[in-house]
Amino acid sequence: MKIGILTSGGDCPGLNAVIRGAVLKGVRVHDAEFVGIRNGWRGLVEGEYVKLDRHSVRGLSRQGGTILGSSRTNPFEGEHGGPENIQKHLDEQGIDAVIAIGGEGTLTAARRLTDAGLHIIGVPKTIDNDLAATDYSFGFDTAVEIATEAIDRLRTTADSHGRCMVVEVMGRHVGWIALHSGMAGGAHAILIPEQPESIEQICEWVESVRDRGRAPVIVVSEGFLLSGMEEAHSHKGLDAFNRPRLGGISELIAPEIEARTGIESRATVLGHTQRGGAPSAYDRVLATRFGMAAIDAIYAKEWGSMVALNGTDLEIVSIEEATGGLKTVPRERYEEAAVLFG
Amino acid sequence: MKIGILTSGGDCPGLNAVIRGAVLKGVRVHDAEFVGIRNGWRGLVEGEYVKLDRHSVRGLSRQGGTILGSSRTNPFEGEHGGPENIQKHLDEQGIDAVIAIGGEGTLTAARRLTDAGLHIIGVPKTIDNDLAATDYSFGFDTAVEIATEAIDRLRTTADSHGRCMVVEVMGRHVGWIALHSGMAGGAHAILIPEQPESIEQICEWVESVRDRGRAPVIVVSEGFLLSGMEEAHSHKGLDAFNRPRLGGISELIAPEIEARTGIESRATVLGHTQRGGAPSAYDRVLATRFGMAAIDAIYAKEWGSMVALNGTDLEIVSIEEATGGLKTVPRERYEEAAVLFG
Amino acid sequence: MKIGILTSGGDCPGLNAVIRGAVLKGVRVHDAEFVGIRNGWRGLVEGEYVKLDRHSVRGLSRQGGTILGSSRTNPFEGEHGGPENIQKHLDEQGIDAVIAIGGEGTLTAARRLTDAGLHIIGVPKTIDNDLAATDYSFGFDTAVEIATEAIDRLRTTADSHGRCMVVEVMGRHVGWIALHSGMAGGAHAILIPEQPESIEQICEWVESVRDRGRAPVIVVSEGFLLSGMEEAHSHKGLDAFNRPRLGGISELIAPEIEARTGIESRATVLGHTQRGGAPSAYDRVLATRFGMAAIDAIYAKEWGSMVALNGTDLEIVSIEEATGGLKTVPRERYEEAAVLFG
Amino acid sequence: MKIGILTSGGDCPGLNAVIRGAVLKGVRVHDAEFVGIRNGWRGLVEGEYVKLDRHSVRGLSRQGGTILGSSRTNPFEGEHGGPENIQKHLDEQGIDAVIAIGGEGTLTAARRLTDAGLHIIGVPKTIDNDLAATDYSFGFDTAVEIATEAIDRLRTTADSHGRCMVVEVMGRHVGWIALHSGMAGGAHAILIPEQPESIEQICEWVESVRDRGRAPVIVVSEGFLLSGMEEAHSHKGLDAFNRPRLGGISELIAPEIEARTGIESRATVLGHTQRGGAPSAYDRVLATRFGMAAIDAIYAKEWGSMVALNGTDLEIVSIEEATGGLKTVPRERYEEAAVLFG
């Protein structure tokens, strides 16, 4: 059996550990051959391959990024895309099955290709933790750890100067990274896309913290919306307060807090540092197990399925089910955290 | 309602986060009062208390150890022990319910006191991850992270000198820390109490690694037993090879590997560094949620129960069930990891 | 002897370690008394004090920020400022001497107060490493370590996506943090205030890296100026390329690199995370020694002097000399690093 | 010019950064060729070489260990050793000059080979910081950082249980790592080879800490000697208290403290974790600069010299001077730290 592996979409700590887990299990248990497909689906379409053997995955469990490169190419687009073209490329390389590591778009494309008869197994990659079919995926724990460390650092500055710090973390559609890092870092408010809050409520929390003699720390997902101002958010160029739009949501909120409460406020956008670098031990274990389980799914010929974490167990689930809807932060988890606000 | 909190048994990252979570939820949601009981059950017996309020738990989510102190005192032992004495002390302090944070011994004692009518809720503390009723408890993730970082460091020394490194991690009865840190660190063998292996098998793995031009890294639980040598292990003073017993199991294995394979071998016992210091973000979140859930259990008057993690949900389970047996590493998890050995 | 301590200016890892070193040495060797002055010079003017004894400095060597708070108040300004007022406040509290921990402004003010007869010893605080009279000060090493870790993380994202990452670090007037973190992180270009470079030169480096098949990483001080565009920089609202000014210099450079080279480019502003949190071991040792040496200077009545590091030795130097000019990155250090560019 | 590079002696963070700095500067500035000599002097004697070019040093600044391997082979020993044989091997490979990275033994051998006409430049490697001619060398800062982090972790366990923790760090002949990590970690006593102390004095410090309600933390160099017991130390098999010798000095002291003071005491030997893994930013910068300066020394034909750090400047010094004597902790640095004991 000759197995192709590709990584697609944004960087995520643990991608290399998945590759290593798959290759080692495939080589040792099934004597499989492996070929790396460069830069996601683009490599398939454009015929960019790299050899993958036991030696080439050495030391990868702790290495961030992906040795295969990544892109956001959609395999159904372009004149060289589509199931027939892709099958033709696979046949040319003698590739019997493909492990596609990626987020919802990648998995959906994988399912559609499977419908057309291709042999594909998915491995879910979601640093934001927004895929419904798996309790967690690799990368999320590392991102939360990095964000928490940054919050710890920003807190001492807040305390030394009596300032309000607004820390912006990843999460365009869901607030999991904000929820976990905010709880771990002891934030005084956590603002997530699932739960719009008004600037008045935010300032109330900030003032309550200040009145207890402390320096407020607020964690906000990049996708958070101020309630009652959804329209303003969509107005390109101007922000919710009719000022020129500067950058992230934190850069909108911080000056508004300062203007309304008189408390000196600063925004920090953590940005790409959250998705690079060595994975946490948790993510290395999960990613390695995902890679090995993908091999099991291949030898079980479960085309169109993906690996998933359920409690402490790995499972093989249908991609169709898995990509049915965004896994948002449920109301009770937000309320659990909100007890600690203010 | 006046609630007492105590921490019992060995140090564990996240104890302070549990205390903080419980106090903040109790004060804010139920207007409860709190009192800290010093040094585990001993403080109850000897009447050592400390005030616990919102101010005294400030910043605790990231602080290692326990601000309450700990001891291994059994509440049923000594002339001042036993349910009547303890109830008397609680009455004197006006304490209505107690949150007991501890391992199997503590939880079992809590259940027996509950049988005698006391109002106690347990919070499981098991850095080794050996309690059956919860997927994980706080402290385990931190310990795995610390052990993994040490393995990463030792690997470069192994590689530079062509040496075999034997790294001894915590785990007297179960091998979870070794399993996870060994997998995360890319170990060439993981030796756990659940799975005795012969020195011959270990040396085979070591030689196979050396023959591929690499430096072997072995992770071993402190409670691992060499197969066929159980008797020798119990002989005080002499080790399995009839040499004076030196220290941990790694210090027994490393010289034997060197003697049999000719590969220079070194033992490192990670020891107490695995259980101290700031908790990982994962453990802070879990511990904070445990503390808050313990308050829910108190107001639901679920005496004799404890909080537990099931997937991503918190549950209240009966302590009796929870302490029914050690949660060992199942055979399939060991075999999953063993694919990567040698 | 009763000694006052104050911290002034921006947050800096190690401030608390200075306070602890001074208090412990003063109490143990000289049986001195201590009083903390809150929020820099403002606390003196407004009479905000806090008791400082052996107990209150416990554990401070590893704690970020300053337990005394800080402000940017100038002791010569305001109706309550000026030497007479300050001396009056000191007399009211029975304070015989003051240790002022701060940057150039603080030290200059300290010297002027000394000229007026006040008993003040300075401790240099310069996270940017821009004070001439000391080889290093505390905080710099920690900032470089944090920036380097961020660069390490951003590099894996750069490599995975074939992107150019532009990392903006602290350094308004001098490029030491960029120089050290860029060298440690293996940056392909380091842009510092002392050495303007043209956008053409920067793009040449970027393309040379891309042509070798690698992803360019550029480290830039916040105070860097593009050569030939000094005028544009000073034009509020518009940047050097006549676009609305967005944020830091990295947010000006990254899109321009992308526009000129076609290489996808991203800016990351590290911001306040560089100045908060626990100090590195290096900074803890240096800060502790500075605090202890300040006590020596007080008992030697070296008013108007400050402590400084010379090689591995601590010295007492005149503040006047120390604040004579900015310590910029010398040309040979830049050229040494530039060998590694491109 | 063709330049050989070798690394000799124990693992040390920064070795790879030296190699990278030398190769990049040599290739870019002088168009030099490089060859790596495997496993220290042994590789020269046995003819084990590896190609070194720009590509092979990619990413090395942050990688621990040495890609060249190391050994403790003395180039003057064995039938293939000695200046003539080594020169012959160099001639066969066309190697014009050698950069030898190692400790005192390596440097002394390098000087003797230089006396015999060979072209060798030394780079000092001393994780213990015991070489007189350089303020610091790479590896020391990383070791201190790792030891300090371990002390931070052990402290919370000490506090939680009211225990005395004895932490053993590297330093066979000098106490620099103990001095710096002990000061950074806030140790209550620092025991170094340069300053024998009696067990009575140590117990006095321990009891004084206990009497203030705190948990004592003691940092001890592996080479520390109890005063008045030098003879006992040298008696193989028995320790200073006539018990079978167990392991490190901490394992001798901890039980004795417990026996004499009644305070539960635990020893932790940090061991090899101190010398592996990624270097700190400080060490990466220093090692990179050392590597580049070695190239300068080669092109200046300063055979028999080595690079050294003096304040913030790099210098070229004679190896003869540099290896004249051990750089021990001076009495005033010990006394400076001792103010904080007890």
Side-chain angles (χ1 to χ4, degrees):
Chain A
M1 176 97 74
K2 192 165 179 182
I3 301 170
I5 304 184
L6 64 83
T7 54
S8 178
D11 191 21
C12 185
L15 287 168
N16 280 325
V18 176
I19 298 169
R20 174 178 171 270
V23 170
L24 289 181
K25 176 143 194 187
V27 168
R28 288 170 162 223
V29 175
H30 302 285
D31 207 21
E33 262 186 281
F34 285 86
V35 59
I37 300 163
R38 296 272 307 148
N39 301 320
W41 299 108
R42 196 175 76 208
L44 252 189
V45 172
E46 302 187 353
E48 295 176 275
Y49 302 100
V50 60
K51 211 183 142 216
L52 273 186
D53 59 13
R54 199 164 156 165
H55 183 74
S56 48
V57 300
R58 175 178 169 182
L60 281 197
S61 71
R62 56 191 167 289
Q63 193 174 314
T66 164
I67 56 164
L68 297 178
S70 187
S71 74
R72 298 190 187 275
T73 301
N74 182 327
F76 285 93
E77 288 172 3
E79 56 170 327
H80 302 293
E84 293 78 20
N85 278 322
I86 289 182
Q87 183 65 57
K88 200 186 66 184
H89 289 297
L90 294 176
D91 289 345
E92 282 165 14
Q93 296 290 322
I95 296 177
D96 302 297
V98 171
I99 297 174
I101 314 171
E104 200 186 356
T106 299
L107 296 172
T108 302
R111 189 189 51 72
R112 285 178 61 197
L113 292 172
T114 302
D115 289 347
L118 277 74
H119 294 177
I120 307 185
I121 295 293
V123 173
K125 174 193 70 79
T126 160
I127 203 166
D128 287 348
N129 194 31
D130 61 1
L131 276 175
T134 188
D135 278 2
Y136 293 107
S137 185
F138 55 90
F140 172 68
D141 184 71
T142 305
V144 170
E145 199 66 57
I146 294 170
T148 301
E149 197 186 304
I151 296 166
D152 284 356
R153 292 203 171 274
L154 293 168
R155 174 182 298 284
T156 75
T157 297
D159 284 341
S160 300
H161 295 284
R163 270 187 203 150
C164 171
M165 302 302 263
V166 183
V167 191
E168 182 171 332
V169 300
M170 286 191 298
R172 217 159 284 185
H173 306 295
V174 301
W176 289 106
I177 292 178
L179 183 80
H180 279 237
S181 65
M183 207 177 221
H188 300 101
I190 299 172
L191 307 174
I192 62 176
E194 295 88 339
Q195 180 70 27
E197 299 281 3
S198 68
I199 188 71
E200 289 78 15
Q201 171 63 71
I202 297 170
C203 289
E204 212 173 275
W205 283 322
V206 163
E207 287 174 333
S208 146
V209 175
R210 190 258 321 265
D211 293 348
R212 296 206 313 278
R214 301 197 51 191
V217 173
I218 294 176
V219 176
V220 58
S221 305
E222 54 183 330
F224 169 74
L225 295 177
L226 279 167
S227 66
M229 298 191 173
E230 287 78 1
E231 202 179 317
H233 282 286
S234 64
H235 186 133
K236 295 285 175 219
L238 288 190
D239 72 16
F241 305 104
N242 288 316
R243 293 171 310 203
R245 188 80 191 250
L246 284 176
I249 179 73
S250 61
E251 287 159 339
L252 184 156
I253 293 175
E256 195 62 25
I257 291 174
E258 183 163 326
R260 288 170 182 243
T261 67
I263 302 169
E264 199 185 1
S265 299
R266 291 281 184 280
T268 301
V269 182
L270 296 186
H272 287 88
T273 54
Q274 295 165 87
R275 61 188 325 140
S280 70
Y282 182 98
D283 281 337
R284 296 190 203 178
V285 172
L286 182 55
T288 303
R289 294 182 74 198
F290 269 9
M292 294 197 290
I295 297 298
D296 295 342
I298 280 182
Y299 282 87
K301 299 187 194 302
E302 302 257 20
W303 314 124
S305 68
M306 67 169 223
V307 302
L309 178 70
N310 182 352
T312 61
D313 294 328
L314 290 203
E315 292 183 343
I316 309 290
V317 300
S318 137
I319 288 181
E320 192 145 22
E321 269 172 51
T323 55
L326 219 53
K327 182 175 66 180
T328 53
V329 173
R331 180 130 197 109
E332 62 269 22
R333 286 297 304 276
Y334 179 75
E335 285 170 354
E336 180 190 50
V339 165
L340 307 171
F341 291 2
Chain B
M1 174 99 73
K2 192 166 179 182
I3 301 169
I5 305 184
L6 65 82
T7 53
S8 177
D11 190 21
C12 185
L15 287 167
N16 281 326
V18 176
I19 297 168
R20 173 177 171 272
V23 169
L24 288 182
K25 176 142 194 187
V27 168
R28 290 170 160 221
V29 176
H30 302 285
D31 207 21
E33 263 186 281
F34 285 87
V35 59
I37 301 162
R38 296 272 307 147
N39 301 320
W41 299 107
R42 195 175 78 207
L44 252 189
V45 173
E46 301 186 353
E48 295 176 275
Y49 302 101
V50 61
K51 207 183 143 217
L52 273 186
D53 59 14
R54 198 165 155 164
H55 184 74
S56 47
V57 300
R58 176 181 167 179
L60 281 197
S61 71
R62 56 192 168 287
Q63 193 175 313
T66 163
I67 57 164
L68 297 178
S70 187
S71 74
R72 299 192 186 274
T73 301
N74 181 327
F76 286 93
E77 286 174 3
E79 57 171 325
H80 301 294
E84 294 78 18
N85 278 322
I86 287 182
Q87 184 63 61
K88 201 187 65 185
H89 288 297
L90 294 176
D91 290 345
E92 282 166 14
Q93 295 290 323
I95 296 175
D96 301 297
V98 171
I99 297 174
I101 314 170
E104 201 186 355
T106 298
L107 296 172
T108 303
R111 189 189 52 73
R112 286 178 59 197
L113 291 171
T114 301
D115 289 346
L118 277 74
H119 293 178
I120 307 185
I121 295 293
V123 173
K125 175 192 71 78
T126 160
I127 202 166
D128 287 348
N129 193 31
D130 61 1
L131 275 174
T134 188
D135 278 1
Y136 293 108
S137 186
F138 55 91
F140 172 68
D141 184 71
T142 306
V144 169
E145 199 66 58
I146 296 170
T148 300
E149 198 187 304
I151 296 167
D152 283 357
R153 292 202 170 275
L154 294 167
R155 173 182 299 282
T156 74
T157 299
D159 284 342
S160 299
H161 295 285
R163 271 186 202 151
C164 172
M165 302 302 264
V166 183
V167 191
E168 183 170 333
V169 300
M170 286 192 298
R172 217 159 285 186
H173 306 296
V174 301
W176 289 106
I177 292 178
L179 184 78
H180 279 236
S181 65
M183 207 177 221
H188 299 101
I190 299 172
L191 307 174
I192 60 176
E194 293 88 339
Q195 181 69 28
E197 299 283 2
S198 67
I199 188 72
E200 289 78 13
Q201 170 65 71
I202 297 170
C203 289
E204 213 173 275
W205 283 322
V206 164
E207 288 174 332
S208 145
V209 175
R210 190 257 320 265
D211 292 349
R212 296 207 312 279
R214 301 198 48 191
V217 173
I218 294 176
V219 176
V220 58
S221 304
E222 56 183 329
F224 169 75
L225 296 176
L226 278 166
S227 67
M229 296 188 174
E230 289 76 1
E231 203 179 316
H233 282 287
S234 64
H235 184 132
K236 297 285 176 219
L238 287 190
D239 70 17
F241 306 103
N242 288 317
R243 293 171 311 202
R245 187 80 190 247
L246 283 177
I249 178 73
S250 61
E251 287 159 339
L252 183 155
I253 292 174
E256 195 64 23
I257 290 173
E258 182 162 329
R260 288 171 182 241
T261 66
I263 302 169
E264 201 186 0
S265 300
R266 291 281 184 279
T268 301
V269 182
L270 296 187
H272 287 88
T273 53
Q274 293 164 91
R275 63 187 325 140
S280 69
Y282 182 99
D283 282 338
R284 296 189 203 179
V285 172
L286 182 56
T288 303
R289 296 181 72 198
F290 270 9
M292 294 197 289
I295 296 299
D296 295 342
I298 280 181
Y299 281 87
K301 300 189 193 301
E302 302 257 21
W303 315 125
S305 68
M306 67 170 223
V307 301
L309 178 71
N310 182 352
T312 62
D313 295 326
L314 289 203
E315 293 183 344
I316 310 290
V317 300
S318 137
I319 289 182
E320 192 144 22
E321 268 172 51
T323 55
L326 219 54
K327 181 175 66 181
T328 53
V329 174
R331 180 129 198 109
E332 60 271 22
R333 287 295 305 275
Y334 180 74
E335 284 170 354
E336 180 189 50
V339 165
L340 307 171
F341 292 0
Chain C
M1 174 98 72
K2 191 167 180 181
I3 301 169
I5 305 184
L6 65 83
T7 54
S8 178
D11 190 22
C12 185
L15 286 167
N16 280 325
V18 176
I19 298 169
R20 173 178 171 270
V23 169
L24 288 181
K25 176 141 195 188
V27 168
R28 289 170 161 222
V29 174
H30 302 285
D31 207 21
E33 262 185 282
F34 285 87
V35 59
I37 301 162
R38 297 271 307 148
N39 301 320
W41 298 107
R42 194 175 76 207
L44 251 188
V45 173
E46 302 186 354
E48 296 176 275
Y49 302 100
V50 60
K51 208 183 143 217
L52 272 186
D53 59 12
R54 196 166 156 164
H55 183 75
S56 47
V57 300
R58 174 178 170 182
L60 280 198
S61 70
R62 56 191 165 288
Q63 193 174 312
T66 163
I67 57 164
L68 297 177
S70 187
S71 73
R72 298 191 187 274
T73 301
N74 182 327
F76 285 93
E77 288 173 3
E79 57 171 325
H80 302 293
E84 294 77 19
N85 279 321
I86 288 182
Q87 183 65 57
K88 200 186 65 184
H89 289 296
L90 294 176
D91 289 344
E92 281 165 16
Q93 296 290 323
I95 296 175
D96 302 296
V98 171
I99 297 174
I101 314 170
E104 200 185 356
T106 299
L107 296 171
T108 302
R111 189 189 50 74
R112 287 179 58 198
L113 291 172
T114 302
D115 288 346
L118 277 73
H119 293 177
I120 307 185
I121 295 292
V123 173
K125 175 192 71 78
T126 161
I127 202 166
D128 287 349
N129 194 31
D130 61 1
L131 277 174
T134 187
D135 278 0
Y136 294 106
S137 186
F138 55 90
F140 172 68
D141 184 71
T142 306
V144 169
E145 199 66 58
I146 294 170
T148 301
E149 198 186 304
I151 296 166
D152 283 356
R153 293 203 170 274
L154 294 168
R155 174 182 298 283
T156 76
T157 297
D159 285 340
S160 299
H161 295 284
R163 270 186 204 150
C164 171
M165 302 302 264
V166 183
V167 191
E168 182 170 333
V169 301
M170 286 191 298
R172 217 159 284 185
H173 306 294
V174 302
W176 289 106
I177 292 179
L179 184 79
H180 280 235
S181 65
M183 207 176 220
H188 301 100
I190 300 172
L191 307 175
I192 62 175
E194 293 88 339
Q195 180 70 28
E197 299 282 3
S198 67
I199 189 72
E200 289 78 15
Q201 170 65 72
I202 296 170
C203 290
E204 212 174 276
W205 283 322
V206 164
E207 288 174 332
S208 145
V209 175
R210 189 257 321 264
D211 293 347
R212 295 206 314 277
R214 301 198 51 191
V217 173
I218 294 176
V219 176
V220 56
S221 304
E222 55 183 329
F224 169 73
L225 294 177
L226 278 167
S227 66
M229 298 190 173
E230 287 77 2
E231 203 178 315
H233 283 287
S234 63
H235 184 133
K236 294 287 175 219
L238 288 190
D239 70 17
F241 305 104
N242 288 317
R243 293 170 311 202
R245 187 81 191 248
L246 286 176
I249 178 73
S250 61
E251 289 159 338
L252 184 155
I253 293 175
E256 196 62 23
I257 291 174
E258 184 164 325
R260 289 170 182 243
T261 66
I263 303 170
E264 201 186 1
S265 299
R266 293 279 184 280
T268 301
V269 182
L270 295 187
H272 288 87
T273 54
Q274 294 164 87
R275 61 187 325 139
S280 69
Y282 182 97
D283 281 337
R284 297 190 203 177
V285 171
L286 182 55
T288 303
R289 296 181 72 197
F290 269 9
M292 295 197 290
I295 296 298
D296 295 342
I298 280 182
Y299 281 87
K301 300 189 194 301
E302 301 258 21
W303 316 124
S305 68
M306 66 169 225
V307 301
L309 178 71
N310 183 352
T312 61
D313 294 327
L314 290 202
E315 291 183 345
I316 310 289
V317 301
S318 138
I319 288 181
E320 191 145 22
E321 269 172 51
T323 54
L326 219 53
K327 183 177 63 181
T328 53
V329 173
R331 180 129 198 109
E332 61 269 23
R333 285 298 303 276
Y334 179 75
E335 284 170 355
E336 180 189 49
V339 166
L340 307 171
F341 292 0
Chain D
M1 174 100 73
K2 192 166 179 182
I3 301 169
I5 305 184
L6 65 82
T7 54
S8 177
D11 191 20
C12 185
L15 287 168
N16 281 325
V18 176
I19 297 169
R20 172 178 172 271
V23 170
L24 289 181
K25 175 141 195 188
V27 168
R28 289 170 160 223
V29 176
H30 302 285
D31 206 22
E33 262 185 282
F34 285 87
V35 59
I37 300 162
R38 298 271 307 148
N39 302 317
W41 299 107
R42 196 175 76 207
L44 252 189
V45 173
E46 302 187 353
E48 296 176 275
Y49 301 99
V50 60
K51 208 184 144 215
L52 272 186
D53 59 13
R54 199 165 156 164
H55 184 75
S56 47
V57 300
R58 176 179 167 180
L60 281 197
S61 71
R62 55 191 169 287
Q63 193 174 312
T66 163
I67 56 164
L68 296 179
S70 187
S71 73
R72 298 190 186 276
T73 301
N74 182 325
F76 286 92
E77 287 172 5
E79 56 171 324
H80 303 292
E84 293 78 17
N85 278 320
I86 288 182
Q87 185 65 59
K88 199 186 65 185
H89 289 296
L90 294 176
D91 290 345
E92 281 165 15
Q93 295 291 322
I95 296 175
D96 302 297
V98 171
I99 297 174
I101 314 169
E104 201 186 354
T106 299
L107 296 171
T108 303
R111 189 189 50 74
R112 285 178 60 198
L113 291 171
T114 302
D115 290 346
L118 278 71
H119 295 178
I120 306 185
I121 295 294
V123 174
K125 175 193 71 78
T126 162
I127 203 165
D128 287 350
N129 193 31
D130 61 1
L131 276 174
T134 188
D135 278 1
Y136 293 107
S137 185
F138 56 91
F140 172 68
D141 184 70
T142 306
V144 170
E145 199 66 56
I146 295 170
T148 301
E149 197 187 304
I151 295 166
D152 283 355
R153 293 203 170 273
L154 293 167
R155 172 182 299 282
T156 76
T157 298
D159 285 341
S160 300
H161 296 284
R163 271 185 202 150
C164 171
M165 301 303 264
V166 183
V167 191
E168 183 170 334
V169 300
M170 287 190 298
R172 216 160 284 186
H173 306 295
V174 302
W176 289 106
I177 292 178
L179 184 79
H180 279 236
S181 64
M183 207 176 222
H188 300 101
I190 299 171
L191 307 174
I192 61 175
E194 293 87 339
Q195 182 69 27
E197 298 283 1
S198 68
I199 188 72
E200 288 79 14
Q201 171 63 72
I202 296 170
C203 289
E204 212 172 275
W205 284 322
V206 164
E207 288 174 332
S208 146
V209 175
R210 191 258 321 267
D211 293 349
R212 296 206 313 278
R214 300 199 48 193
V217 173
I218 295 176
V219 176
V220 57
S221 304
E222 56 184 329
F224 169 74
L225 296 176
L226 279 167
S227 67
M229 296 190 173
E230 287 78 0
E231 203 179 315
H233 282 286
S234 64
H235 184 134
K236 296 286 176 218
L238 287 190
D239 71 18
F241 305 104
N242 287 318
R243 293 171 310 202
R245 187 78 192 249
L246 283 177
I249 179 74
S250 61
E251 288 158 338
L252 184 155
I253 292 174
E256 196 63 24
I257 290 174
E258 182 163 327
R260 287 170 183 243
T261 67
I263 302 169
E264 201 185 0
S265 300
R266 293 279 184 280
T268 300
V269 182
L270 295 186
H272 287 88
T273 53
Q274 294 163 91
R275 62 187 325 140
S280 69
Y282 182 99
D283 281 338
R284 296 189 203 178
V285 172
L286 182 54
T288 303
R289 295 182 73 198
F290 270 9
M292 294 196 291
I295 296 298
D296 294 342
I298 280 182
Y299 281 86
K301 301 190 193 300
E302 301 258 21
W303 317 124
S305 68
M306 67 170 223
V307 302
L309 178 71
N310 182 353
T312 61
D313 295 327
L314 290 203
E315 291 183 344
I316 309 289
V317 300
S318 136
I319 289 181
E320 191 144 23
E321 268 173 49
T323 56
L326 220 51
K327 182 176 64 181
T328 53
V329 173
R331 180 131 197 107
E332 61 271 22
R333 286 297 303 273
Y334 180 75
E335 284 170 355
E336 180 190 49
V339 165
L340 307 171
F341 291 0

